Amino acid sequence: MRPDVSKQLITIGQLAGYAGVTIKAVRHYHRVGLLDEPVRDTSGYRRYTAQHAIALVKIRTLADAGVPLARVKELLAADPQQFASAVADIDRSLRERAAAIRRARTRIAQLNAGDSLFVSADLAAYLGRLRKIGVKESWVATERDLWILMQAVSPEAAAGWVAEKFAALKDPEFRSLYLAYLDAHDWSPDDPRLERLADRTERWMLKRSRRGKRVAPATGVDPAINQLIAASTGSSPAWARLSEIGAERRTRSAG
Amino acid sequence: MRPDVSKQLITIGQLAGYAGVTIKAVRHYHRVGLLDEPVRDTSGYRRYTAQHAIALVKIRTLADAGVPLARVKELLAADPQQFASAVADIDRSLRERAAAIRRARTRIAQLNAGDSLFVSADLAAYLGRLRKIGVKESWVATERDLWILMQAVSPEAAAGWVAEKFAALKDPEFRSLYLAYLDAHDWSPDDPRLERLADRTERWMLKRSRRGKRVAPATGVDPAINQLIAASTGSSPAWARLSEIGAERRTRSAG
DNA sequence: TTGCTCCTCACGTCACGTGAGGTGGC
DNA sequence: TTGCTCCTCACGTCACGTGAGGTGGC
């Protein structure tokens, strides 16, 4: 026979203090049926037993582990096997949360460090390469924006094209052509250099297609992508002219 | 001059997909003024730029690090110094959250393992000692409940008393007396063994007080504590009798 | 008497989610 | 025509917190 210590009671404040929670939280647990309502004293005050303290610590332990209160309620009524398997699940989710925190830490550390946070690792490497070969920062930013939109529209395709263009940059003639195109952006559409640039481009494309490689993303893949490309082309009279010259030559060679 | 790629727009679904959030979340960020409303197309659909994608990724990076959206809004408008110091704060809080997760993991692991979760480490050690010297499980549970209530009522005092009682258990005579008291709980109040137990108790207390040690928690410390002790005493006629005998002797020796 | 603890509503908050009812492009 | 994406309300959810207005023991 145990002496009836359980009839000796503590107040809601003492209970809350013991478990490290607020009084409001304790009352909330009563409302949702998580913690039994204790007896009341003559003033209407709740009076708790050690059993309540134990139950409350249990509730908080589960809640602190991220278990929703509705699930906590189920678990308090579960048999030992169910409970043990739930504990294993909870531990898994805690490990996952720890991993998410590690990821969050590396990401906030990148907030001050360029584009790497906003684009894929492959794209960041590609943009870095552009800077290295002397592309102006404003152009790099434009490429970044273009690729972000492509990635948003068609993630798999964009990833493939980044890889292709990254690889093409190893070819010195492609690098040279690429830089020349950027220069040409602000030329007049009558500039005679445009014809020579078109010639160089044609030669390079011929050589490349003989090696069985694609020159640019296949047209018709995604209308949104084509629009993006057209928008780039249309952003400069000189580029528009280059595009025309290219189309004319293709028509001639096909006809 | 940058070609105006920024006029090429993506839908809310594509934007959300790029940033890994839901469409509802994006609309929520518009409502609370976190993310600029973009232009609308002829159907009234929102059309986003790469800048929106970058802003959204930034928002999510901060939000995923546990920063409240109201604070995210402030940070997007903060100068670089404020921002950098905020990032340091955020990292600190993330480390703290990682520590909280580690604590949660050790605590849920204890859910299946006895009392250690519900009582202080000192008390758990004390209860373990009781089991070792042969105290019945039901009595150990009673002590645990009593100490939980004491701890709730007066944490510092309870911690001190546990330490004292733990130390006293090293004294073989105290251990023997303790076990005898538990036996005596169910004796008749007329049992002649009660007088002999009272004698032994008196001798032990005398010896102990000569060594300048306290015998029990000082009375009058906290009325709630005294109530707890009285409740234990009152839970058994034999214990009540022992308490009476003790009081009589003290009166005699004082008179 | 004063301060402290407790009581019960009712409503607020945070970050979205749910669902109704509807429109527009392929 | 059908399915898909998008639109705007309005209300719901989760785990409490805030605050009003009041009572009871030292």
Side-chain angles (χ1 to χ4, degrees):
Chain A
M1 214 180 47
R2 298 169 55 178
D4 218 346
V5 158
S6 63
K7 286 284 145 55
Q8 281 305 310
L9 305 167
I10 55 176
T11 68
I12 194 170
Q14 292 166 334
L15 176 78
Y18 184 79
V21 304
T22 66
I23 290 174
K24 294 281 182 177
V26 174
R27 289 204 273 249
H28 182 66
Y29 299 151
H30 289 318
R31 257 203 309 284
V32 299
L34 246 186
L35 186 66
D36 286 345
E37 277 278 5
V39 297
R40 305 282 179 135
D41 65 13
T42 48
S43 315
Y45 288 15
R46 294 178 178 85
R47 291 284 170 168
Y48 296 88
T49 66
Q51 303 315 308
H52 284 105
I54 289 173
L56 181 54
V57 169
K58 212 167 185 173
I59 289 166
R60 281 313 315 176
T61 300
L62 290 165
D64 286 340
V67 180
L69 296 190
R71 177 75 177 138
V72 170
K73 200 173 172 183
E74 287 174 15
L75 289 182
L76 294 181
D79 64 51
Q81 280 164 348
Q82 290 175 318
F83 191 82
S85 108
V87 163
D89 287 348
I90 293 164
D91 193 64
R92 246 192 301 286
S93 89
L94 283 174
R95 272 191 313 236
E96 211 185 82
R97 286 166 77 126
I101 286 180
R102 284 193 289 276
R103 283 194 299 274
R105 285 191 67 190
T106 68
R107 299 196 68 204
I108 60 155
Q110 285 179 289
L111 267 172
N112 287 321
D115 296 327
S116 57
L117 181 60
F118 309 114
V119 301
S120 67
D122 285 351
L123 185 48
Y126 168 75
L127 295 174
R129 187 89 181 96
L130 291 189
R131 286 191 189 91
K132 224 173 202 167
I133 67 176
V135 176
K136 277 189 305 177
E137 199 52 40
S138 63
W139 276 110
V140 173
T142 300
E143 281 247 4
R144 181 200 60 193
D145 289 0
L146 229 158
W147 285 109
I148 285 176
L149 297 179
M150 284 202 184
Q151 186 102 23
V153 169
S154 183
E156 334 71 38
W161 297 333
V162 173
E164 272 180 37
K165 204 167 171 194
F166 198 16
L169 283 173
K170 285 176 188 150
D171 175 351
E173 175 62 4
F174 179 80
R175 282 204 299 275
S176 171
L177 272 172
Y178 181 90
L179 292 169
Y181 265 75
L182 295 189
D183 272 344
H185 184 266
D186 299 332
W187 293 351
S188 154
D190 307 322
D191 197 307
R193 288 176 295 179
L194 287 177
E195 289 279 347
R196 292 202 296 275
L197 184 50
D199 287 344
R200 274 183 69 192
T201 307
E202 206 181 357
R203 280 196 299 275
W204 180 79
M205 286 169 87
L206 262 169
K207 208 168 69 188
R208 193 171 157 84
S209 65
R210 260 186 239 119
R211 278 184 291 159
K213 297 219 183 175
R214 270 202 301 161
V215 168
T219 51
V221 177
D222 188 314
I225 297 291
N226 282 336
Q227 276 219 334
L228 281 171
I229 292 164
S232 304
T233 309
S235 69
S236 142
W239 280 10
R241 179 66 195 131
L242 273 171
S243 177
E244 260 176 50
I245 300 173
E248 283 163 17
R249 293 186 181 187
R250 260 168 273 139
T251 312
R252 243 184 295 151
S253 69
Chain B
M1 213 180 52
R2 297 170 55 178
D4 217 346
V5 159
S6 62
K7 287 282 148 53
Q8 280 305 311
L9 303 167
I10 55 175
T11 67
I12 194 170
Q14 291 166 335
L15 176 77
Y18 185 79
V21 304
T22 66
I23 290 174
K24 295 282 183 176
V26 174
R27 289 203 274 250
H28 182 67
Y29 299 150
H30 290 318
R31 257 202 311 283
V32 299
L34 246 186
L35 186 66
D36 287 344
E37 277 278 3
V39 297
R40 305 280 179 136
D41 65 17
T42 48
S43 317
Y45 288 14
R46 295 179 178 86
R47 289 287 169 165
Y48 296 89
T49 66
Q51 304 313 310
H52 284 104
I54 289 173
L56 181 54
V57 168
K58 212 167 185 173
I59 290 166
R60 281 313 314 175
T61 299
L62 290 165
D64 286 341
V67 180
L69 296 190
R71 178 73 177 138
V72 171
K73 200 173 171 182
E74 288 174 16
L75 289 181
L76 294 182
D79 65 50
Q81 280 164 348
Q82 290 175 317
F83 191 83
S85 108
V87 163
D89 287 349
I90 293 163
D91 192 62
R92 247 191 301 287
S93 89
L94 283 174
R95 272 190 314 236
E96 212 185 80
R97 286 166 77 128
I101 285 179
R102 283 193 289 277
R103 283 194 298 275
R105 285 190 67 192
T106 67
R107 300 195 68 205
I108 60 154
Q110 285 179 289
L111 268 172
N112 287 321
D115 295 326
S116 57
L117 181 60
F118 310 114
V119 301
S120 67
D122 287 349
L123 185 48
Y126 168 75
L127 295 174
R129 186 89 182 97
L130 291 189
R131 286 191 188 90
K132 225 174 202 165
I133 67 176
V135 175
K136 276 187 307 176
E137 201 51 40
S138 64
W139 276 109
V140 173
T142 299
E143 281 247 5
R144 181 200 60 191
D145 288 1
L146 227 159
W147 285 109
I148 285 177
L149 296 178
M150 285 201 181
Q151 185 102 23
V153 169
S154 181
E156 335 72 36
W161 296 333
V162 172
E164 272 180 38
K165 206 166 170 195
F166 197 15
L169 283 174
K170 285 176 189 151
D171 177 351
E173 176 62 4
F174 179 80
R175 281 205 298 275
S176 170
L177 272 171
Y178 181 90
L179 292 169
Y181 264 74
L182 295 190
D183 271 346
H185 183 268
D186 299 332
W187 293 350
S188 154
D190 307 323
D191 197 308
R193 289 174 294 178
L194 287 177
E195 287 281 346
R196 292 204 293 278
L197 183 52
D199 287 345
R200 274 182 69 191
T201 307
E202 205 180 0
R203 279 197 298 276
W204 180 79
M205 285 168 90
L206 261 170
K207 209 169 69 186
R208 194 171 156 85
S209 65
R210 259 187 240 122
R211 279 183 293 162
K213 296 216 181 176
R214 271 201 300 161
V215 169
T219 52
V221 178
D222 187 315
I225 297 290
N226 282 335
Q227 277 220 335
L228 280 173
I229 293 164
S232 303
T233 309
S235 70
S236 142
W239 281 9
R241 179 68 195 132
L242 274 170
S243 176
E244 259 176 50
I245 298 173
E248 282 164 17
R249 293 186 180 188
R250 259 168 274 140
T251 313
R252 241 184 294 150
S253 68

